[in-house]
Amino acid sequence: IEKIIATLPYEDELDNFITKIGISAEQVNDPGELRGSNYATIIVNLTPEQGRKRIADDIIDYVRKEIKPYDKNFTSIKINMIRSGPPQDSPVNIVLKSDDFQQLKKIAKEYKDYLETKKGLKDIKDDYEEGKKELRIRINHQIASMTGISVSDVAQTVRTCFKGTVASTIKKSDEEIDIRVIFPEKYRSTLASVKRIKISNKRGNLIPLERVAHFITKDKQGKEIRGISVRNRNKWKRSIRITAEIDERAKGVSAVQMNMDLMKKFKNITNRYPGLIVEYAGEFKDTQESMQNLFQSFIIAIMVIYFILVVLFRSLRDPLVIMGIIPLTFVGVIWTFFFHGLPFSFLATMGVVGLAGVVVNDSIVFIDFIIKNRARGMEPFEASVKAGGHRLRPIFLTTITTFFGLIP
């Protein structure tokens, strides 16, 4: 993998890269940091974007394509872009919670398989980390009791053989050196060596381990048994979190749309798996909460504007006419997003709120002139036509100044 990264044009795209063995972390103080001899991290620093021909996403796609033939040599390979600032949740972030961990693994695979079929997504993964291969020793308690061996004796002897036990120490100058009793390296890598371990019973006799135990290396499906390096919990329940990033180059793809598709696809999954709790978190949850707060604020703002207009116009009817124009603005917004092929996001909603303010300002200018013309004795139609001609420039200037004021 280092050789593949080194093929990137030096100084044009590649600045430097650092490899760390025994740790998996994107940056210092990463809350998702993992440690162990089976982890490694390569941090690649690129040159400034303005001096590169390719953006970071294109370079990541190139590296991902080049290292794909080596996937079989690793348990998993993950490529992420380091983002500045505090850690950010992914656009697609599903938390599965249940007391049955095997069930969680099965459901997580269902979700990931479905996400793989959706265009515009990348870096689909979960936080389940498989541990190293395990050899499980199942003790026959009846035979062990007859031979005078306890489970503790077996565990301590096996640990001494493979992990070592400090038998004594020697002092050299001011330093104490441990004398550790352990199997030679060549005997620590085969199952036959484990079976030949002899355990001392209470009478001092040596009993072969294979006489009091049997050894399990595969599960019921015939797969090698692996441990679990980390058990994640969410609100006291075991959990697996599935995440996916949205490709910025994909059009018409948003976090809200993807999460709504998932909710529709897996709406009956809790019926199929009793006890399962599904939570759609991350950017989608934040957006939903922000939209709810924005909607509440919008309603309060409309009420305040109405009361202010009632005081200014000294009428209950005229402010209703002005406020009634606000829903008409949605027609232009919907068609604009439709023709441009853009999703309706949280920022778009904020823009609609700003647009409502502009429309209210223009309406006040227009309606106020009509009211004054009506007071001079004009008919409603004549007053409206005259207001359209005389108030066009003020309305245009009000809209343009507000527009340029909101650009920053």
Side-chain angles (χ1 to χ4, degrees), residues 4 38 46 74 104 132 138 161-162 176 188 205 216 252 258 265 280 284 286 297 307 355 360 363 381 386 397:
I4 292 172
N38 55 326
L46 302 176
F74 298 90
L104 284 177
K132 299 178 181 179
R138 190 70 55 84
C161 293
F162 290 88
E176 286 191 351
R188 279 183 265 157
N205 298 324
I216 304 172
M258 283 297 174
K265 172 69 176 178
Y280 295 88
F284 174 72
D286 295 339
S297 302
F307 286 124
L355 176 62
V360 168
S363 301
F381 181 77
K386 191 171 183 179
L397 291 175

Side-chain angles (χ1 to χ4, degrees), residues 28-62:
V28 180
N29 299 325
D30 187 345
E33 178 183 298
L34 297 170
R35 290 182 178 271
S37 59
N38 55 326
Y39 295 110
T41 301
I42 303 176
I43 300 176
V44 181
N45 295 309
L46 302 176
T47 55
E49 187 172 353
Q50 57 269 24
R52 286 188 267 116
K53 294 181 180 179
R54 295 188 294 180
I55 61 174
D57 285 325
D58 291 336
I59 296 174
I60 288 175
D61 289 342
Y62 165 77

Side-chain angles (χ1 to χ4, degrees), residues 225-275:
I225 296 176
R226 289 183 174 272
I228 301 174
S229 58
V230 179
R231 286 187 184 271
N232 296 303
R233 291 184 179 272
N234 188 295
K235 295 180 181 179
W236 309 105
K237 283 186 172 288
R238 294 178 179 177
S239 67
I240 291 181
R241 185 182 299 269
I242 302 125
T243 59
E245 300 292 334
I246 292 177
D247 191 343
E248 291 80 2
R249 294 162 295 184
K251 291 185 178 181
V253 181
S254 67
V256 174
Q257 176 194 341
M258 283 297 174
N259 281 274
M260 295 300 289
D261 287 347
L262 286 168
M263 293 170 70
K264 183 179 179 180
K265 172 69 176 178
F266 296 98
K267 63 180 180 180
N268 296 322
I269 196 166
T270 52
N271 296 331
R272 290 193 288 128
Y273 299 99

